[in-house]
Amino acid sequence: MKEALFSIGEVAKLANISIKALRYYDQMGLFKPAYVDPETNYRYYHDSQLYHLDLIKSLRYIGTPLEEIKKAQELNRDELIAFLTEQENKVREQIEFLLDIEQTISIVKRRMMKQLEDDVNGEVYISNDEEMRIIRADAEGMTPLTLLNASYSKLIQYMELSLGFIHMSYGATFPFAAYGNVDEITYRHIFTPVLSDKQISTMTPDLEVITIPSGTYACISFIFSVEHYFDRLQKLFKYIDNHQFTVLSDIYEFFSPIHYSPRKQEEFLVEMKVRILEPSE
Amino acid sequence: MKEALFSIGEVAKLANISIKALRYYDQMGLFKPAYVDPETNYRYYHDSQLYHLDLIKSLRYIGTPLEEIKKAQELNRDELIAFLTEQENKVREQIEFLLDIEQTISIVKRRMMKQLEDDVNGEVYISNDEEMRIIRADAEGMTPLTLLNASYSKLIQYMELSLGFIHMSYGATFPFAAYGNVDEITYRHIFTPVLSDKQISTMTPDLEVITIPSGTYACISFIFSVEHYFDRLQKLFKYIDNHQFTVLSDIYEFFSPIHYSPRKQEEFLVEMKVRILEPSE
């Protein structure tokens, strides 16, 4: 029985592959025509070799590079099963990576939505907050007047290496105390929220992950301006004093950009919150 | 307070980004230096603009193209949340795609491992097989002598479009009947196994998905050769006859390449199986 012979155009149609790809597979030695007409240089393929495209197309579909496919062609069945197990593990890694991204996006969104709900008109409000993981470093004597974006460099790089997606807000803590003016405040820690439930394992000694506990917080949110900053803080203190709340934590301060347009004036949302115990009545 | 100014090298270090990337972000208008020295052309960045890199790096991490990031910079908070929801959906689609690939690889592996276990020395054996979904087409009068690889083109293309990963074996069915020689066999259907549990929805009228039921099968497996093909088939028939099995199905025939090396002689594993009812004793 004489074997069927197909032109490159016919194979392209039968196998739903471009002629260009078939030419490239030929060059690479991945799928070579059975016969090349010496006069016209036209490529012809045997029917019996078409099944070779199955492995090529299937591995291409799961993202295997062509050079790897070429190696896979030389494997026996046992080795091919081992090769597929490797591919399976790679796919599993990608899935885990994407599940993590999905979760992070969802946490970022939830945080942004909560901020939108909050009252930003500079009045004190009481909020029952969920717990929040943060990664923090010693503030090394920095104050509201000296703190730099650049001060967060180490925290951000650490977050980036371990989680990829980085914080969208800059945090700092300082003790709850009777300040006469802004110059008297010195930060205790700087921090950024951890946007993942993932375990953070390899920690350098100057960084630590802690959890801000869930509970009742007295809060104030406002658009940052140098004039209002201390004024708003005093309002929070006065409110706590008036209501005879017992204070259970430092002040947590969050700076979050309101937008990321480099073409507009920078605007930051400031949130200050402190954990309280409401007097039992 | 005079604002801190950083050179491009300092920003690169602080933000863990290459100088090349920073130059490119400048060109694209994604992150421009606050000041360029007119004499040296050196770029300088304000500390207060560093936070812009947070959005850029985070979106880059989740795979957002730079042009899209540039658009995202101009969004307000509501719009940014909507944008993140879009990214979340894209990530979910990728996860679904990969979960499907993972499942397919696992099914292919399981099938290959089962084939390795089977006795391929050309003796009949009884196997309790799981059910198997196949996609089939009318064989249009083709026989073991005329069947081509190319005959499967439509089936393969359909599988490829709906599932991506394609079959690794070529199937055909023919009636269980008293054949005198190979010329008398005419295939009823040609088919390929479906390597996924995914629902196959848009079906053309000449293709159908059916399930080969689980049950007891009389089987014979051997390395294909023209001389042995009919001989092995007869052996299967004789065995069934000798054991007085009641036959419940057509003969299912599978051709699977033993290897995919274009540098070696082609070798195919043939499996024939027919569903039987063992006589109750």
Side-chain angles (χ1 to χ4, degrees), chain B residues 105-123:
Chain B
I105 297 177
S106 136
I107 294 175
V108 172
K109 272 176 60 188
R110 208 164 64 223
R111 275 189 57 77
M112 289 177 80
M113 283 190 268
K114 189 176 176 310
Q115 281 177 348
L116 281 179
E117 283 165 17
D118 287 344
D119 208 350
V120 296
N121 61 5
E123 297 302 327

Side-chain angles (χ1 to χ4, degrees), chain A:
Chain A
M1 189 182 67
K2 203 175 157 295
E3 219 193 338
L5 216 54
F6 297 110
S7 71
I8 194 167
E10 286 170 320
V11 172
K13 229 176 235 171
L14 283 166
N16 196 27
I17 298 187
S18 69
I19 290 177
K20 203 177 145 200
L22 285 168
R23 286 207 193 104
Y24 188 60
Y25 293 171
D26 178 7
Q27 272 175 42
M28 277 196 66
L30 207 58
F31 184 66
K32 295 186 88 63
Y35 170 72
V36 180
D37 188 311
E39 304 234 325
T40 61
N41 263 335
Y42 286 171
R43 294 165 171 89
Y44 294 96
Y45 299 82
H46 277 154
D47 176 72
S48 68
Q49 65 182 136
L50 292 184
Y51 75 90
H52 282 292
L53 291 172
D54 300 345
L55 186 72
I56 297 170
K57 287 160 85 180
S58 292
L59 294 184
R60 209 180 48 175
Y61 180 70
I62 64 173
T64 312
L66 294 181
E67 276 302 336
E68 290 282 304
I69 296 178
K70 201 171 163 185
K71 284 180 205 158
Q73 286 182 326
E74 300 306 324
L75 304 178
N76 67 29
R77 290 226 142 203
D78 273 331
E79 292 165 338
L80 194 53
I81 289 172
F83 175 83
L84 286 176
T85 303
E86 268 174 49
Q87 306 312 305
E88 220 176 359
N89 294 341
K90 280 186 201 163
V91 170
R92 184 32 57 186
E93 269 171 39
Q94 284 180 60
I95 292 172
E96 299 294 339
F97 174 74
L98 290 172
L99 284 172
D100 217 66
I101 287 183
E102 189 183 38
Q103 194 210 24
T104 304
I105 297 178
S106 135
I107 294 175
V108 172
K109 272 175 61 186
R110 209 165 62 223
R111 275 190 57 77
M112 289 177 80
M113 283 189 273
K114 189 174 176 312
Q115 280 178 346
L116 280 179
E117 282 164 19
D118 287 344
D119 210 349
V120 296
N121 60 7
E123 297 302 326
V124 178
Y125 57 94
I126 302 297
S127 174
N128 287 302
D129 286 2
E130 291 169 27
E131 65 174 30
M132 178 194 285
R133 282 209 303 166
I134 61 171
I135 178 165
R136 76 180 183 191
D138 195 281
E140 291 169 353
M142 281 180 294
T143 74
L145 302 176
T146 61
L147 188 65
L148 293 177
N149 268 260
S151 314
Y152 288 85
S153 158
K154 202 191 272 181
L155 282 173
I156 297 180
Q157 286 196 28
Y158 191 81
M159 292 282 269
E160 202 183 352
L161 280 174
S162 55
L163 302 171
F165 211 93
I166 56 184
H167 75 128
M168 299 291 205
S169 63
Y170 295 77
T173 64
F174 53 92
F176 183 86
Y179 299 108
N181 64 64
V182 71
D183 297 321
E184 294 173 9
I185 303 174
T186 301
Y187 289 130
R188 201 195 298 266
H189 291 107
I190 60 171
F191 70 87
T192 74
V194 176
L195 302 169
S196 163
D197 294 341
K198 217 160 88 175
Q199 205 55 41
I200 300 185
S201 49
T202 46
M203 190 60 78
T204 57
D206 48 350
L207 300 181
E208 59 180 342
V209 173
I210 64 143
T211 300
I212 302 180
S214 63
T216 307
Y217 287 82
C219 315
I220 190 163
S221 300
F222 54 95
I223 310 295
F224 176 77
S225 72
V226 178
E227 310 87 63
H228 287 137
Y229 178 82
F230 191 67
D231 180 52
R232 295 290 183 266
L233 178 62
Q234 278 187 306
K235 209 167 182 176
L236 178 64
F237 278 44
K238 195 168 293 174
Y239 187 94
I240 289 167
D241 199 36
N242 287 345
H243 289 76
Q244 294 181 277
F245 294 146
T246 307
V247 167
L248 300 175
S249 75
D250 278 359
I251 308 278
Y252 296 99
E253 178 183 285
F254 299 83
F255 267 73
S256 316
I258 302 227
H259 64 77
Y260 285 93
S261 173
R263 279 157 285 278
K264 286 189 216 155
Q265 179 59 41
E266 295 149 16
E267 277 185 297
F268 281 86
L269 177 70
V270 186
E271 281 177 88
M272 289 174 172
K273 64 182 224 178
V274 60
R275 192 163 169 230
I276 52 162
L277 195 67
E278 293 182 72
S280 44
E281 285 164 41

Side-chain angles (χ1 to χ4, degrees), chain B residues 19-252:
Chain B
I19 290 177
K20 203 177 147 200
L22 284 169
R23 286 207 192 105
Y24 188 59
Y25 293 171
D26 179 8
Q27 271 173 45
M28 277 195 67
L30 209 56
F31 184 67
K32 296 185 89 63
Y35 170 72
V36 180
D37 187 310
E39 304 232 327
T40 61
N41 263 336
Y42 285 172
R43 294 165 171 88
Y44 295 95
Y45 299 81
H46 276 155
D47 175 72
S48 68
Q49 65 180 136
L50 292 182
Y51 75 91
H52 283 291
L53 291 171
D54 300 344
L55 185 73
I56 297 170
K57 287 160 86 181
S58 292
L59 293 182
R60 208 180 52 175
Y61 180 71
I62 66 174
T64 312
L66 294 182
E67 276 301 336
E68 291 280 305
I69 295 178
K70 203 172 163 185
K71 284 179 205 158
Q73 286 182 326
E74 300 306 323
L75 304 178
N76 66 31
R77 289 225 142 200
D78 273 330
E79 292 164 339
L80 193 55
I81 289 173
F83 175 85
L84 287 175
T85 303
E86 269 174 49
Q87 308 310 306
E88 218 177 1
N89 293 341
K90 280 186 200 161
V91 170
R92 187 27 61 182
E93 269 171 40
Q94 284 180 59
I95 291 172
E96 298 295 337
F97 174 76
L98 290 171
L99 285 172
D100 217 67
I101 287 182
E102 188 182 39
Q103 194 209 26
T104 303
I105 297 177
S106 136
I107 294 175
V108 172
K109 272 176 60 188
R110 208 164 64 223
R111 275 189 57 77
M112 289 177 80
M113 283 190 268
K114 189 176 176 310
Q115 281 177 348
L116 281 179
E117 283 165 17
D118 287 344
D119 208 350
V120 296
N121 61 5
E123 297 302 327
V124 178
Y125 57 94
I126 302 297
S127 174
N128 287 303
D129 286 1
E130 291 170 28
E131 65 174 30
M132 178 193 286
R133 282 208 305 167
I134 62 171
I135 178 165
R136 76 179 183 190
D138 194 281
E140 291 169 353
M142 281 180 294
T143 75
L145 302 176
T146 62
L147 187 66
L148 294 176
N149 268 259
S151 314
Y152 288 84
S153 157
K154 201 190 276 182
L155 282 174
I156 297 179
Q157 286 197 25
Y158 191 81
M159 292 282 270
E160 202 182 353
L161 280 174
S162 54
L163 301 172
F165 211 91
I166 57 185
H167 73 127
M168 299 292 205
S169 64
Y170 294 77
T173 65
F174 53 92
F176 183 85
Y179 299 107
N181 65 63
V182 72
D183 298 319
E184 293 172 12
I185 303 174
T186 301
Y187 288 131
R188 203 196 295 269
H189 290 107
I190 59 172
F191 70 87
T192 73
V194 176
L195 303 169
S196 164
D197 295 339
K198 215 162 86 174
Q199 206 55 41
I200 300 185
S201 49
T202 46
M203 190 57 81
T204 58
D206 49 346
L207 301 180
E208 58 180 345
V209 174
I210 65 145
T211 300
I212 303 180
S214 64
T216 308
Y217 287 82
C219 316
I220 191 163
S221 300
F222 54 95
I223 310 295
F224 177 77
S225 73
V226 177
E227 311 86 64
H228 288 137
Y229 177 82
F230 192 67
D231 181 53
R232 295 291 183 266
L233 178 62
Q234 279 186 306
K235 208 168 185 175
L236 178 63
F237 277 43
K238 196 167 289 171
Y239 188 94
I240 289 168
D241 200 36
N242 287 345
H243 290 78
Q244 295 181 276
F245 292 147
T246 306
V247 166
L248 300 176
S249 74
D250 280 358
I251 308 277
Y252 296 98

